[in-house]
Amino acid sequence: MNISPWRMCFVAALPALLAGCVSPSPSSPAAGADPTKAQITVLYDAFGKASSMQKDWGYAALVEYGGKRILFDTGNNPDILAQNARAKGVDLTKLDFVVMSHRHGDHMGGMAYLLSVNPKVKIYAPKEGFGVYGGDLPSSFYRKDTSLPPEQRYYDGTPPDTMRFGAAWPEANFQLIDRTTQIAPGIHLISLVSDKAGTLELRELSLALDTPDGVVIVVGCSHPGIDKIVEAAAKINPRINLVAGGFHLVVAKDDEIDKIATTLRDTFKVGYVVPGHCTGEPTFAALRKAFGDRYLYAGLGTVLGLGAKPRPLADDGSPPVTAMDQADLESYRMLLAGRDDEDPHEGNRLAANVTALP
């Protein structure tokens, strides 16, 4: 039997080739080598690859940075949040704090489950005058008329200096934020107010991590404008490493989408975009075109490792397994099976090994 030299080289190199397809590269950090994680896990969204997690409109993510475990928003439904957290092995009893971006139901709907398993966790939320998370105002906010008898006056005419208003969850440990605030070393909350029609005066919090590689921004719905949020984050650190979450362009027109994509890329020099939730399908496409390989997919269940070059991770914290795609499999099967000048049994055996790859 005559075997051509190139096929001999291919067969000799095949074990190394196959090993490279099922193992992380040697330069990849070992799982667990660094006890301080820097990653984002998407726990709630309406798109993603098939898994035991349930898709639904809304957003929630576990952010791990600086030794802190932060739940950002709680999604739309408590049962779905519970299911998705279990599917990813995320223990919501072990959180340092929670950030609620704003008061819309698709971000706070999972609150009941969160509080059932972690009732005393500190929850940062936007401060609004009569907000669902509670609030307070100085009693000077309303006009007074001393000519009225006491029974016709609020508090008989002697109101407290500060009037406090109840929350939808009265036992929850809310801390209300109305200005950009550092809540832990390198961890900031950006507080902005929407001036957009439909959400006028809605206050929203965004999370900003000041990392050695630049600011990582996690947004809920970006009602004040994703460009304004990034502009505010740039005051913390002008280098913007990554922006993840909902960009609120789901019903935007193409010219508005293109303007935002260009602004993020050219004006703010954003390193990577990781859009989700209410960003919108046309915006996904536009951002992918504008950012190329700096556009990162982050559907439901994605674990994104942070750093100079953010990348998706496997569940154990390692880079995901690299496998041959279908075209590669077909090519290698053709090369290895049924050759006239080689042992057909050997070729079939090698082809079967390739087919068995993940």
Side-chain angles (χ1 to χ4, degrees), residues 135-137 155 160 162-166:
D136 58 69
L137 285 173
Y155 300 95
T162 300
M163 299 171 59
R164 304 193 183 280
F165 308 105

Side-chain angles (χ1 to χ4, degrees), residues 35-312:
T36 303
K37 291 183 178 179
Q39 62 186 43
I40 299 170
T41 303
V42 180
L43 295 176
Y44 212 108
D45 213 325
F47 71 99
K49 299 175 182 178
S51 74
S52 57
M53 302 177 78
Q54 183 175 339
K55 300 178 184 72
D56 187 35
W57 191 266
Y59 191 71
L62 178 69
V63 180
E64 297 173 86
Y65 180 74
K68 304 295 185 184
R69 288 168 52 86
I70 308 161
L71 180 65
F72 186 88
D73 284 342
T74 65
N76 186 58
N77 179 286
D79 294 334
I80 295 175
L81 177 65
Q83 174 184 335
N84 290 351
R86 285 193 296 266
K88 292 301 289 185
V90 171
D91 186 351
L92 295 184
T93 69
K94 298 178 180 178
L95 297 172
D96 290 282
F97 48 84
V98 176
V99 176
M100 299 302 301
S101 64
H102 63 295
R103 65 175 184 248
H104 285 169
D106 55 334
H107 294 256
M108 66 181 190
M111 182 74 77
Y113 173 69
L114 169 68
L115 294 177
S116 74
V117 298
N118 200 342
K120 299 301 180 183
V121 66
K122 180 180 285 188
I123 303 172
Y124 292 100
K127 181 179 181 180
E128 298 181 297
F130 297 87
V132 69
Y133 301 117
D136 58 69
L137 285 173
S139 58
S140 58
F141 87 91
Y142 70 89
R143 294 178 61 200
K144 299 170 178 63
D145 188 339
T146 58
S147 69
L148 293 172
E151 67 270 19
Q152 293 184 22
R153 300 190 63 196
Y154 301 124
Y155 300 95
D156 297 322
T158 56
D161 291 337
T162 300
M163 299 171 59
R164 304 193 183 280
F165 308 105
W169 302 274
E171 302 302 319
N173 179 19
F174 289 116
Q175 182 165 334
L176 303 182
I177 301 293
D178 62 359
R179 59 180 58 86
T180 295
T181 305
Q182 180 171 276
I183 56 175
I187 301 176
H188 303 254
L189 294 178
I190 295 171
S191 175
L192 293 175
V193 181
S194 172
D195 61 359
K196 306 292 193 298
T199 58
L200 192 64
E201 298 185 351
L202 175 70
R203 188 173 294 274
E204 183 165 341
L205 300 182
S206 303
L207 181 65
L209 312 176
D210 190 9
T211 81
D213 303 298
V215 176
V216 170
I217 307 169
V218 183
V219 293
C221 261
S222 305
H223 290 106
I226 186 62
D227 52 340
K228 293 184 178 180
I229 294 171
V230 174
E231 182 180 22
K235 295 176 181 177
I236 299 169
N237 182 342
R239 184 180 178 189
I240 307 298
N241 174 256
L242 179 150
V243 185
F247 292 8
H248 206 256
L249 296 165
V250 68
V251 296
K253 297 184 182 302
D254 288 345
D255 57 347
E256 181 184 356
I257 292 170
D258 291 340
K259 181 180 178 181
I260 288 293
T262 300
T263 298
L264 295 179
R265 184 191 62 196
D266 297 344
T267 302
F268 294 111
K269 311 295 184 184
V270 172
Y272 295 83
V273 290
V274 191
H277 182 42
C278 59
T279 301
E281 294 176 11
T283 312
F284 292 157
L287 289 170
R288 185 173 57 194
K289 180 179 178 181
F291 281 83
D293 60 4
R294 296 185 293 118
Y295 172 99
L296 302 178
Y297 170 84
L300 180 63
T302 298
V303 181
L304 185 76
L306 304 177
K309 293 184 177 180
R311 76 269 187 226

Side-chain angles (χ1 to χ4, degrees), residues 5-41:
W6 75 268
R7 285 200 181 99
M8 292 178 64
C9 292
F10 178 82
V11 172
L14 187 61
L17 176 66
L18 300 186
C21 289
V22 297
S23 302
S25 65
S27 60
S28 301
D34 183 356
T36 303
K37 291 183 178 179
Q39 62 186 43
I40 299 170
T41 303

